[in-house]
Each structure stands twice: as structure tokens, then as C-alpha cells.
Amino acid sequence: MTPVETVENTPFSILHIIGSVNDSISLRGELRNAGLQASVHNAADFDAARHEITRNPVDIIYIEYGANALEMLTALRELAAREPALAGVPVVVYDDIGGVEEVEAFLEAGAFSVINHESLVEPLLMRAVAFALLYEDRERKAAQLAKSELRCQKLIDGSSEAVAYLQDGLHIYANQTYLDLLGFDSLDELLEEPILDLAAGDSAQRLKAFLKTEDAEETFTLKTNGGHDIEVRIHSTAASFDGEPCLQVFATQVKEDVADISEQLEYFARRDLLTGLYNRNYLFEQIEARRGKIVNGDEEETGALLLLEILNHDEIKRHVGTTGMDNLLTEFGKKVEGRVGGQGLVARHGAFSFLILLGRLDRHRTAELADALNELAHEYVHTQGTTSVTVATSAGYLVLDENSPPNAAELVDRVERASNRAAREGSYQSRRYEPDLKSASEREQDEAWSRKIKTALRESRFSLVFQPIVSLTGDREISRYEVFVRMLDEDGSLISPAEFLSQAERGELIKSIDRWVVLSAVKQIHTGVKNGEKPKLYIRISDASLHDPEFTKWLTQRLQMTRLPETLLAIQVSVDKAGHALRHLADMQQALHPLGGELILDGFGGSGDDGFRILDHLPVSTIKIARPLLENFAQESANQERVGEVVKHAKEGDMAVIVPNVENAASLQILWPMGVDFVQGDFIQAPQESLEFDFAQF
């Protein structure tokens, strides 16, 4: 079909840019004599063209502007960049005197075509018109397609069939049914996630090949977000999403085939006969298996346990009877299972409760699910004949981790206690299991503290405070601070350091706290150095870390990366502890010294001369006086004498002396003439959250 035949019966409009309106009238006459429904509008210059474009729709622009045609074309292309009415409008230029270079210039400037002979005017204009009409038709159909896709999208969103869109194997959209099937709470969790990452076993290779085909159907084993394997039948078809080609997949879970007698026996061995949910014994096995995977260090394995209990079962039975109660349990149990979806396994636990094993949910998301199940119960109405009843529930939950007891019965007992506590507070309440630290067993207390400390580390609820160490000899070049660690509970309240540090030592989490303190201190030093300061921080390390050869290796690696300009990190070790790790501490000191770290010994004067004998094997540049000697220091002459002896001995060995716990002016006046190098204490300044102190005042 020729361009003329394409537009023969279609009205179109040409904006003719030429100095004479008579030429435009002549062009219109020629086109209409050729049987074309042409409308030609004249514009004598650019301003007239711009005005005409805003008044009348234009299908093509035809420029006959002589020597200024290129300038006009350039101005129109700039206008088209900001004028939607010119989108897709081809521009034709008449130039019958220019050569190849002029034609190329017009084309580079955006001309659709260049007419260089009068005989080509009609066919080339018709070609441009045909293109414009084709462009308009394409845009119209694209808009119709977008509306159709939007309608389909709404249908898919409300569909009970699981539907997803994949592009290059990545999820770009999924409806709620698909999310529920695979155990995802929201689309954000699944976006840009490869479907191959969900394939289990040999399904990955088969699924990889499957994604390269269209209009195919096959069954695969997929791992849900709750960590459970399910058989899914997937049907694919070519589609588009947001105008981009993609693959649309429909997914249906394949239910267990229990045709074989042995499979029937296995099926009924793990199912509750009334509700069809899993039974308690099977779920107990799965709980212990999940807990075992967590303890074995599988990073992908996490878990949570949730109990949903019907509180008003006696009242319900009075209204609908035993049969009605059984029907309610079956119906409501299926709704619970549907809401949990691929996030976990649902079992009937007691006569009127449901036990749910969840995977890959943290504490906050487990709490959200518990609230959602209570809301599900709140909205649920069961009808038996002409009688309708509602359900009141409570929920208890806990998160499984490496500290959880291995026995499923004990774990279930805990969520039952949590659910009972929620029930005492009213219907539709949910509570996390938390042991009463006053009445809990020693094991429960250790678990609770371990979990509390790990959560605080993970949620950045540890912080440092700094107490200045002031020079009495005029040393102002370096700003010295002792570092203390603080911990907040979930409500933001401060926990006593003595309490959480002692618990951390019992649960072997003290090493993690030590490393956090070191990293935070080194970061503070590094920030200060970048700001032109010289902060020196004194930190205490637990006995467990001091005896751990891996800690020294780890610390030296961090200092090598930081490259402190001079000795700005001091590790404080008590004299009592140092006596049992002399060789190890000597190796540590040797490793730290060239990297800006040092060891100092604390607790001198508290236990005879043992500390000074240790210095023969572990020489240090600084020692610290034992804190008990500073209690009532101004009134205790014996303590004053003992401190004086320690200072004298230290000076003979060319060592600096730090005196802590200076609590009043009288103590400071006594210490000053003794030759003490540094003092610290609340009298000077209590520990603060920032490195701020006016050292010049001393």
C-alpha cells in the first residue's frame, strides 16, 4: 500500500511555514485535487508557527523557508522538547538548491525528510503523514494497553490464584496470594529477588531451563520464606508489565497425594484428624529439628514459635454444641493456616489452641503476625444454623536462637505462659515470652541475659562514656580519657554495668562486647586525629579476651588498618590478672607498640609488692593505683602512705602514675606534692558521652 493510499480517507493537518499564505493555499488545493482530506495552515515565521501549534492539532510540519530553513528547523526541534503537542510530529524541509552536505545537516538537525525537487513534494509529504498517523495510532493503542493492563492488574491483585511477573528471572511483581504461598509479608521483600533462589534440590536446574520458555507448565520444589519445602505447579506465559516484556507465572501448591496406603499412613501420622492441620507430635519434631539447625550455625535458619488460643471456648460450646465447636475449629484453623501461608507450619495443639512454627521471622515481625492472627480472630464470625458466634483469642510467642532449650516441650511451655499472660490482660492481646528474672531458673536467666545482650549489640544499644585523665605535670598535648561501656534496655533505660558485664562473662558474650568497645574507641580516636586532635583512650578488656590469642591477632589487624600516628590506645590490665598471663601479654605488648597501642597495669598498691615483681617480666610505661586505696583517702593516712610508696617506686623505674577515684579537693591537694602524673575521678568530671573537657584549667 502506497503512502497516498494509506492516508487517502483520513483527514490530516499540515503546518506550512512559508512567507506567502498563497503558497499554503496552493498546496492545499493540490493535495485536495489528489483526493486527500488535507488541511493546510500557514505560518510566516517562528512566532506564528508556535501560536498555530497551540491552536490547532498538527500532523506534520512542512518548512519552505529558503536560506533560513535550518535555523527554523533547529528552533522547532527545541520547541518540540518542551511542547507535548509536537511529540511524534515529523518535520519535512524543502531545499531544491542545496547539495548532499546541506541535506545531511537537515537530517542531523532532526528533519524527517528533505525534498530537493518539486516532483517529490506530494509523495514525501504523504510518507510523512503516513508516519504521523501510524505514530498517533501506536500511542492510542499504547494508552489502551496501559488501561487494559491496569484493569488486569486490579483483577490479579484480587485473585485467589497466585500470580507473579518475572523479568530475567527476577520478581518484578506478585499478588498477595503469591506472597502468602511463599511466606512473604510484603512485595518489597520479594522485589528483584531471583526465583531461582527459591528453588530447592534439583528444581534449580529445571527451573532455569523453564524460564527460557513461554507457555509451559511444570512442577518444582520451592523453599518458602519460612524455610519449608513445598511442591508448586507453575504455568508460564509471555506478558508485559509497565510496558516491558516479561514472563507471567501462575503458581499452585500441589497437595499431597495420599492414594497409596503407606502414604496415607504417613499423612495421617502427622495430621490432626479433625482439622486437617499438622498434629502436635509432628510439630514438636519440627521444632527440635529447626532448633538443631540454628545451633549448628546455619545462618539462613532462624525460627519463632507462636501459640494462638481460643479463650471463650466454653461459651461457644454452650451456643453451638460440641459438633458446632468442631466445625468452628476446622474452619477457623484453615483461616489461620491461610494467614500464616508459607511463613510456617500450623498445628492443632490443645483442644482449643493452635501452635505455629515460623521461620526467618525476627522478633518484630513475629509480633506483627501474632497481632494479625488476633485481628483475624476478632473479625471472624462462625454461623451454625441460625446461631452465630465470635472468637476471642490470645497469643504468646518466642524467637528461637542458639540459647533456646533443645526440648520442644519446654519451648511450648514458655509460649503457653506468654499466652496466659496475654489472656490475663484481655482478649486479642499478644505477649512475647520473657522470664521473670526474680523467679526464673538459673538457665532461664542465663538465656534471657544472653538474648538481651545479643539484641542490644545488634540494635546498637551499647554506648561509650568518657572520663578525663588530667595531667598534673602540664602535659596538655594529648587529651586522655578512660572509656566505660553502657547498655540500654529495650525501653531506653540504663542497665547497671556491673549487672550486664557479669552476665556477659557468664554467657561468654564478654568477648563480643570487648570487640565492640575496641572498635568504637578506635573510631573515636581516628575521628579526633582527622580533626587535628590527639585523643588517647584507656580501655579495659575482660580476662576472657586477654587470654584469647585470636583477640590479639584481631586487634593488631584493626590497628594496622587504622594507622594511629602515635600511642593513642591503652589497654588496661589488672596486676592480679597479668600475673597469670605474662608471656601472652608480653607478646601482645610487642604487637601493639608499633601500631599505636600499649599496655598499662592497674591495681598497684593493693596487694603488696607483687605488682612490681611483675614489671621485671612485663615492663610498662604507666601504672595505675588500686581504687580501694582512694576510699576516704583524705582521712586514711595509711592509704596515703601506701600511695606515696607506690609513686616513689614508680618514679625510680621511670614510670608515670595515674590515680583514679579522686572524689574531692582534699584528696587532690594531698596527691599533688607526691609527684603523681595523672588523676581522674568524679571530682574532676564524671563520665560524659563526648570527648569534651577543658584540660587547660589544670
Side-chain angles (χ1 to χ4, degrees):
M1 183 178 292
T2 67
V4 173
E5 291 173 330
T6 302
V7 301
E8 197 168 31
N9 298 314
T10 306
F12 61 89
S13 174
I14 298 176
L15 176 60
H16 191 198
I17 302 178
I18 193 169
S20 170
V21 68
N22 291 330
D23 289 336
S24 297
I25 294 172
S26 176
L27 175 63
R28 181 180 61 185
E30 292 174 9
L31 295 175
R32 292 199 171 185
N33 288 337
L36 302 172
Q37 301 180 42
S39 174
V40 180
H41 304 278
N42 176 263
D45 53 32
F46 177 75
D47 288 337
R50 182 171 55 186
H51 178 69
E52 192 65 39
I53 288 167
T54 60
R55 288 180 54 200
N56 299 300
V58 175
D59 292 311
I60 69 168
I61 297 175
Y62 179 33
I63 300 175
E64 284 190 85
Y65 217 58
N68 296 320
L70 183 60
E71 181 181 350
M72 177 63 72
L73 173 62
T74 303
L76 286 171
R77 299 317 297 175
E78 291 176 353
L79 177 63
R82 58 181 185 274
E83 178 54 64
L86 291 179
V89 175
V91 180
V92 179
V93 179
Y94 185 86
D95 180 26
D96 61 349
I97 59 174
V100 174
E101 291 183 358
E102 286 76 8
V103 172
E104 288 179 347
F106 282 122
L107 295 176
E108 288 177 1
F112 177 79
S113 63
V114 179
I115 301 173
N116 58 10
H117 193 277
E118 189 174 331
S119 63
L120 298 175
V121 171
E122 183 178 322
L124 289 182
L125 283 180
M126 292 309 96
R127 185 180 295 274
V129 171
F131 171 83
L133 296 178
L134 183 64
Y135 179 86
E136 290 175 9
D137 185 59
R138 176 183 175 277
E139 289 298 297
R140 185 166 52 253
K141 289 178 178 176
Q144 291 172 350
L145 177 61
K147 291 179 180 178
S148 297
E149 286 185 338
L150 182 61
R151 287 193 295 271
C152 290
Q153 189 72 40
K154 291 180 178 179
L155 290 173
I156 288 170
D157 286 343
S159 174
S160 60
E161 188 172 15
V163 184
Y165 289 91
L166 307 174
Q167 195 169 63
D168 297 326
L170 304 179
H171 288 91
I172 57 174
Y173 183 78
N175 67 358
Q176 189 60 50
T177 308
Y178 187 91
L179 297 174
D180 291 341
L181 174 67
L182 295 176
F184 291 92
D185 281 336
S186 67
L187 181 59
D188 291 339
E189 295 180 58
L190 197 60
L191 278 180
E192 301 299 324
E193 285 295 318
I195 192 172
L196 287 176
D197 286 357
L198 303 177
D202 66 348
S203 288
Q205 287 300 322
R206 293 190 296 109
L207 184 56
K208 186 176 182 180
F210 177 85
L211 294 175
K212 298 176 182 178
T213 63
E214 297 176 0
D215 198 20
E217 190 170 356
E218 196 170 339
T219 300
F220 303 95
T221 302
L222 300 184
K223 184 177 287 292
T224 71
N225 196 40
H228 309 293
D229 291 351
I230 59 174
E231 296 296 312
V232 178
R233 188 74 177 169
I234 297 179
H235 172 234
S236 68
T237 183
S240 65
F241 189 83
D242 282 345
E244 296 290 332
C246 65
L247 199 65
Q248 185 182 46
V249 296
F250 299 86
T252 306
Q253 184 175 356
V254 179
K255 299 300 182 181
E256 295 175 273
D257 183 3
V258 292
D260 184 82
I261 187 64
S262 61
E263 292 178 344
Q264 290 184 39
L265 292 174
E266 184 180 351
Y267 176 84
F268 289 120
R270 58 177 184 263
R271 293 286 176 171
D272 174 63
L273 297 181
L274 174 64
T275 63
L277 303 174
Y278 290 107
N279 61 34
R280 181 171 57 182
N281 291 339
Y282 176 74
L283 202 71
F284 273 39
E285 294 173 4
Q286 296 303 306
I287 292 170
E288 294 180 358
R290 173 60 58 82
R291 195 267 180 190
K293 290 179 180 179
I294 295 170
V295 172
N296 289 335
D298 189 335
E299 293 184 0
E300 291 189 357
E301 292 296 342
T302 57
L305 198 60
L306 192 155
L307 181 75
L308 184 71
E309 188 163 7
I310 296 176
L311 302 178
N312 60 335
H313 48 83
D314 288 338
E315 180 185 351
I316 293 172
K317 284 181 71 174
R318 284 198 300 271
H319 286 88
V320 298
T322 302
T323 301
M325 187 72 210
D326 289 347
N327 292 337
L328 181 148
L329 288 169
T330 302
E331 183 179 84
F332 182 62
K334 292 189 182 304
K335 289 187 175 295
V336 171
E337 187 177 45
R339 178 60 185 84
V340 172
Q343 296 179 107
L345 304 177
V346 181
R348 186 185 180 195
H349 176 50
F352 310 107
S353 60
F354 304 95
L355 189 61
I356 305 162
L357 175 61
L358 301 161
R360 301 182 186 174
L361 291 187
D362 58 20
R363 174 169 58 87
H364 299 293
R365 291 172 61 197
T366 304
E368 290 173 359
L369 180 60
D371 291 340
L373 291 176
N374 274 326
E375 183 64 25
L376 175 73
H378 186 265
E379 296 176 354
Y380 171 72
V381 177
H382 177 74
T383 301
Q384 188 80 15
T386 58
T387 303
S388 295
V389 292
T390 57
V391 170
T393 57
S394 67
Y397 63 93
L398 58 79
V399 176
L400 299 172
D401 57 28
E402 64 275 14
N403 298 306
S404 301
N407 186 276
E410 185 172 348
L411 289 166
V412 173
D413 176 68
R414 293 182 179 186
V415 291
E416 286 177 341
R417 280 188 270 163
S419 178
N420 291 338
R421 179 187 164 198
R424 288 195 295 271
E425 297 177 7
S427 299
Y428 311 113
Q429 300 297 310
S430 61
R431 288 293 175 264
R432 177 166 62 98
Y433 165 74
E434 291 181 343
D436 182 350
L437 295 181
K438 295 180 180 179
S439 60
S441 66
E442 184 175 317
R443 175 176 179 171
E444 283 183 305
Q445 291 188 41
D446 289 345
E447 285 179 28
W449 271 109
S450 178
R451 194 171 291 115
K452 187 187 291 283
I453 291 170
K454 286 181 179 179
T455 303
L457 284 168
R458 189 165 54 250
E459 296 179 355
S460 301
R461 285 192 275 106
F462 277 90
S463 62
L464 298 181
V465 292
F466 311 91
Q467 186 171 54
I469 299 174
V470 177
S471 171
L472 298 183
T473 61
D475 183 354
R476 302 286 183 267
E477 185 178 357
I478 294 178
S479 303
R480 297 171 176 83
Y481 296 87
E482 181 168 0
V483 175
F484 300 94
V485 63
R486 297 290 184 261
M487 173 183 165
L488 299 177
D489 64 16
E490 295 173 357
D491 300 325
S493 303
L494 201 62
I495 300 175
S496 164
E499 188 176 15
F500 76 78
L501 288 174
S502 63
Q503 292 294 336
E505 289 176 349
R506 284 167 56 90
E508 298 185 353
L509 283 170
I510 193 67
K511 292 181 182 180
S512 297
I513 295 178
D514 286 338
R515 296 193 180 203
W516 183 89
V517 170
V518 168
L519 286 175
S520 301
V522 170
K523 183 178 178 181
Q524 282 280 357
I525 296 170
H526 185 62
T527 301
V529 170
K530 283 172 59 179
N531 293 333
E533 303 166 354
K534 288 185 178 180
K536 182 172 183 176
L537 300 186
Y538 295 70
I539 63 178
R540 297 183 181 278
I541 299 299
S542 69
D543 193 38
S545 289
L546 289 175
H547 285 81
D548 181 6
E550 291 299 317
F551 176 78
T552 301
K553 185 187 301 183
W554 174 85
L555 178 55
T556 53
Q557 288 174 345
R558 295 304 175 278
L559 291 179
Q560 285 169 348
M561 290 170 17
T562 308
R563 298 183 179 180
L564 301 180
E566 53 186 286
T567 305
L568 296 178
L569 180 69
I571 307 294
Q572 301 182 138
V573 183
S574 71
V575 173
D576 295 339
K577 300 286 179 64
H580 302 290
L582 287 174
R583 179 164 295 182
H584 174 60
L585 292 175
D587 292 341
M588 178 185 287
Q589 186 180 44
Q590 186 177 2
L592 294 180
H593 184 69
L595 301 174
E598 69 170 341
L599 292 180
I600 72 168
L601 292 178
D602 186 10
F604 271 83
S607 55
D609 295 328
D610 291 346
F612 290 103
R613 285 200 294 271
I614 288 172
L615 292 171
D616 295 335
H617 307 280
L618 187 65
V620 295
S621 62
T622 305
I623 64 171
K624 203 170 199 179
I625 300 297
R627 280 172 167 74
L629 290 178
L630 277 302
E631 294 178 5
N632 299 318
F633 184 71
Q635 291 79 35
E636 295 289 342
S637 58
N639 287 355
Q640 297 170 20
E641 291 177 9
R642 182 59 181 151
V643 170
E645 292 171 3
V646 173
V647 173
K648 180 181 178 182
H649 201 147
K651 292 303 175 183
E652 291 172 355
D654 196 26
M655 290 177 289
V657 178
I658 301 173
V659 177
N661 287 37
V662 177
E663 304 302 332
N664 49 59
S667 297
L668 186 60
Q669 289 175 349
I670 296 170
L671 291 168
W672 207 302
M674 286 185 180
V676 169
D677 298 275
F678 303 98
V679 292
Q680 71 176 106
D682 288 353
F683 171 71
I684 296 166
Q685 180 173 285
Q688 305 290 324
E689 294 181 356
S690 60
L691 301 178
E692 293 183 5
F693 182 75
D694 182 11
F695 288 91
Q697 64 182 294
F698 278 85

